[in-house]
Amino acid sequence: MTSIEQKDAAPRRARLAWLIWIVAISGALALGWLISDLVTPGGGALLGRVRTMAVPPIGGPFSLVDATGTPRTDAEFRGKLMLIYFGYTHCPDACPTALQDMADALAKLGPAAEQVAPIFITIDPARDTVPYLKGYAEQFDPRFVALTGAPEQVAAAAKVYRVYFRKANNQPDYLMDHSSIVYLMGRDGGFLTHFTHETTPEQMADALRKYLR
Ligand SMILES: [Cu+2]
């Protein structure tokens, strides 16, 4: 060790001690802030901000075509609850089950079901053209609005609902891999809750009743 390095050692130790001190103080302040935020009635502003950042909104605009060939957008459903499912008509299992559950839930609501718009959006527009779509969702409930569109329109709708879909293979009678979630959207179009295959029609109806007038 040279004499110059020895001279530097003492100030360096002092700087290090100072740095540790600053880090410790900052950490304590941050922890105090977080704790005071957490004990704030209603959850705390910081926690709310973190939650908002972690969960971007589900849903948004779509511009599609129904089974009669009429253009339809999300905007026309304002004032109603939207019960939305993305699937495809050739689906052997998940889609028929989900659509039947939705229909059964609506049936349990009786006349109040008119406040709910059940919507089926295909993620297989290549096969689910307007004429093909006609009659499919109606089998489950005649109130179903079945929607298709150009591949880009369908992809855009699926994207805002964060629905994953992909061709499972390249056979002529291919299957689609897709997320299978029933979304309940509010009268303002905002996300309220979602249902999975674990949800029974009774549970779905109970959840819907909370938002009925
Ligand atoms: Cu399916």
Side-chain angles (χ1 to χ4, degrees):
M1 206 180 258
T2 68
S3 57
I4 292 168
E5 278 172 336
Q6 275 171 340
K7 252 187 274 170
D8 275 357
R12 207 184 295 139
R13 267 198 301 274
R15 275 201 302 276
L16 190 63
W18 181 235
L19 190 66
I20 289 170
W21 181 239
I22 292 196
V23 168
I25 292 278
S26 314
L29 284 173
L31 191 64
W33 185 36
L34 185 65
I35 288 169
S36 73
D37 190 72
L38 288 175
V39 298
T40 305
L46 176 67
L47 197 68
R49 247 187 333 267
V50 170
R51 213 181 281 128
T52 309
M53 278 191 288
V55 187
I58 292 174
F62 59 74
S63 182
L64 298 160
V65 184
D66 71 14
T68 69
T70 309
R72 310 288 292 264
T73 72
D74 59 298
E76 69 187 81
F77 298 101
R78 288 304 98 84
K80 279 199 168 198
L81 302 165
M82 296 190 294
L83 195 60
I84 304 184
Y85 184 78
F86 288 77
Y88 68 113
T89 65
H90 289 69
C91 182
D93 39 38
C95 296
T97 306
L99 295 174
Q100 190 60 56
D101 287 350
M102 292 162 76
D104 291 348
L106 289 184
K108 289 177 192 302
L109 298 181
E114 68 184 25
Q115 297 175 41
V116 185
I119 299 172
F120 170 70
I121 301 178
T122 183
I123 41 82
D124 184 20
R127 285 184 298 189
D128 290 341
T129 55
V130 167
Y132 205 93
L133 211 52
K134 185 146 185 60
Y136 175 73
E138 287 168 26
Q139 301 172 85
F140 301 94
D141 189 309
R143 292 170 287 199
F144 260 107
V145 177
L147 301 173
T148 185
E152 314 80 65
Q153 292 175 305
V154 167
K159 192 177 179 200
V160 292
Y161 279 87
R162 284 185 268 140
V163 168
Y164 161 83
F165 67 99
R166 196 185 63 120
K167 246 181 167 180
N169 55 58
N170 276 317
Q171 308 300 318
D173 58 345
Y174 58 89
L175 297 176
M176 299 290 292
D177 292 330
H178 67 97
S179 32
S180 183
I181 292 169
V182 178
Y183 297 100
L184 178 59
M185 311 300 289
R187 295 172 199 274
D188 61 353
F191 175 79
L192 293 177
T193 188
H194 73 277
F195 310 106
T196 68
H197 284 282
E198 307 289 303
T199 314
T200 63
E202 189 56 70
Q203 290 168 331
M204 203 185 287
D206 285 344
L208 281 162
R209 277 190 198 98
K210 285 186 213 151
Y211 301 101
L212 296 176
R213 286 171 179 158

